Amino acid sequence: MSSVSGASPVAAAPAHGASSVFIIGLLASLAGLMFGLDIGVISGAQSFIQKDFHISDHALEWVVSSMMLGAAAGALGCGWLSSSLGRKRSLILGGFLFVIGSLGCALAPSPSILIMGRIVLGVAIGIASYTAPLYIAEIAPEAIRGRMISTYQLMITSGILVAFLSDTAFSYSGSWRWMLGVIAVPGILFLLGLFVLPDSPRWLLMRGEKKEAANVLMRLRGGERDQVDKEMADIEEQLKQPQMGFALFRQNANFRRSVWLGVLLQAMQQFTGMNVVMYYAPRIFQAMGYATEAQMWFTALVGLINVLATLIAMAVIDHWGRKPTLYTGFAVMAIGLGVVGTMMMGGAPSSHGMQLFTVIMLLVFIVGFAMSAGPLIWTLCSEIQPLKGRDFGIAASTFTNWITNMIVGLTFLSLLNGIGTAQTFWLYGGFNVLFLLLTFLLIPETKGVTLEHIETRLMAGEKLRDIGRQ
Ligand code: BGC
């Protein structure tokens, strides 16, 4: 992902601020890792949960999707939480709920308690997925901010992979309780890590605690007085621009356009169908005719390809630009899903070769997502909002991410049972074709332009697709 360039012109960090930077990196990694663990962990556990509790596909959809409902609620409340409690304490609350939620899931005596545990986990991730990038952006020096945020994205995919691998390991004994419980361990590490971190200097300044903010910055920047003074002045300057949120949304038609664009972007990301695979991969491999062991290993392979393709994306995104990357990604995803659907028209593919080809096309789809919509939609959502409405705009799009994520999780098995496997994949393939068109019509190219430039053009009423034009 690219850096949010132009947000605040702060000088590069001195080398001896490196140890604080390392701690920030660690935090970034752990919050992203937890996000990913949460997404990934349920796929391998499902078949065992279904057998143990004797529940229907529809009830299983709720077990999967209740987490996203909690996350949507967490994303809604965390704007308020992170400004009143502060970023650090919000993250501590998130980490605490994460540990409670994972243990609750592991020990659940019934499907309804399991669903409640998943909601708690979701709230934790809703809080962490909003607050962690915010905290990182506020505490990291400008020079490494972009890298920190992309590390966070990479760790989401790594978390998914780790969850897939750990599910695979526990699948031999069929112990879904261990699968769901073991993620409490990184949760506890995350919590411990948070206690040693300082409050965000920007949040301290927002509360008028100038002396404490300067102390924190001195520690973070290795005692460079000049740089700290400059950074304090920059933050104070930015804080003069109050967040107007909903009031701005009501008053200003141009701001409404960027909010709706963010909402659309996140809905597009989810309706690519990526999470169908993240949540139900073993079930998809089962439909292709594979036995349990192969289902689990192919799922782990999906996770690995997702990480590798994200790494590649991070290297090329800033050179290619947003729109060409999105066109390529949506086209690749449409082809991948179209072919998977076609191969499964008469049920499982008939030969070994055909089966393998279908797996490869599913992996092609994963590459399409990980190189484009995965990291890029988050980048675009943070780039298109004007400064005084940024918190509100990002909260609205993040909320949409979780709600549409839930819809996808909640309908997949019903779609398979209702319209059929091939038709379900074609439906998602069709969405990706539609997104090619929407990218052409509505999405701006924001590569290499400052946020101020985008804001000026948005507020001047330029067409959305032109707000990034030089
Ligand atoms: C999406 C998640 C998805 C993940 C997969 C993220 O960008 O927001 O919903 O599960 O990518 O790598």
Side-chain angles (χ1 to χ4, degrees), residues 35 39 153 156-157 160 266 269-270 274-275 278-279 306 310 369-370 373-375 378 401-402 405:
F35 184 152
I39 295 259
Q153 282 295 317
I156 295 179
T157 54
I160 296 176
Q266 288 290 8
Q269 192 205 48
Q270 291 304 313
M274 175 60 167
N275 281 326
M278 294 297 104
Y279 299 135
N306 191 21
T310 304
F369 179 90
W378 290 104
N401 175 281
W402 288 113
N405 193 330

Side-chain angles (χ1 to χ4, degrees), residues 259-280:
V259 172
W260 289 124
L261 181 61
V263 164
L264 175 75
L265 281 166
Q266 288 290 8
M268 283 167 64
Q269 192 205 48
Q270 291 304 313
F271 287 111
T272 56
M274 175 60 167
N275 281 326
V276 155
V277 186
M278 294 297 104
Y279 299 135
Y280 297 106

Side-chain angles (χ1 to χ4, degrees), residues 146-206:
R147 235 180 312 145
M148 288 268 118
I149 305 237
S150 43
T151 306
Y152 175 77
Q153 282 295 317
L154 183 66
M155 291 314 287
I156 295 179
T157 54
S158 306
I160 296 176
L161 172 62
V162 171
F164 284 171
L165 284 172
S166 121
D167 279 6
T168 305
F170 286 118
S171 69
Y172 290 95
S173 57
S175 47
W176 62 267
R177 291 182 187 280
W178 274 102
M179 293 180 191
L180 300 188
V182 78
I183 63 172
V185 176
I188 291 170
L189 287 178
F190 177 65
L191 253 183
L192 292 178
L194 287 174
F195 280 106
V196 299
L197 287 182
D199 273 313
S200 144
R202 171 186 281 255
W203 179 74
L204 288 167
L205 275 175
M206 269 160 66

Side-chain angles (χ1 to χ4, degrees), residues 88 280 335 372:
K88 178 181 163 178
Y280 297 106
I335 294 170
S372 64

Side-chain angles (χ1 to χ4, degrees), residues 17-29:
S19 60
S20 64
V21 166
F22 174 75
I23 298 175
I24 296 160
L26 199 67
L27 168 89
S29 310

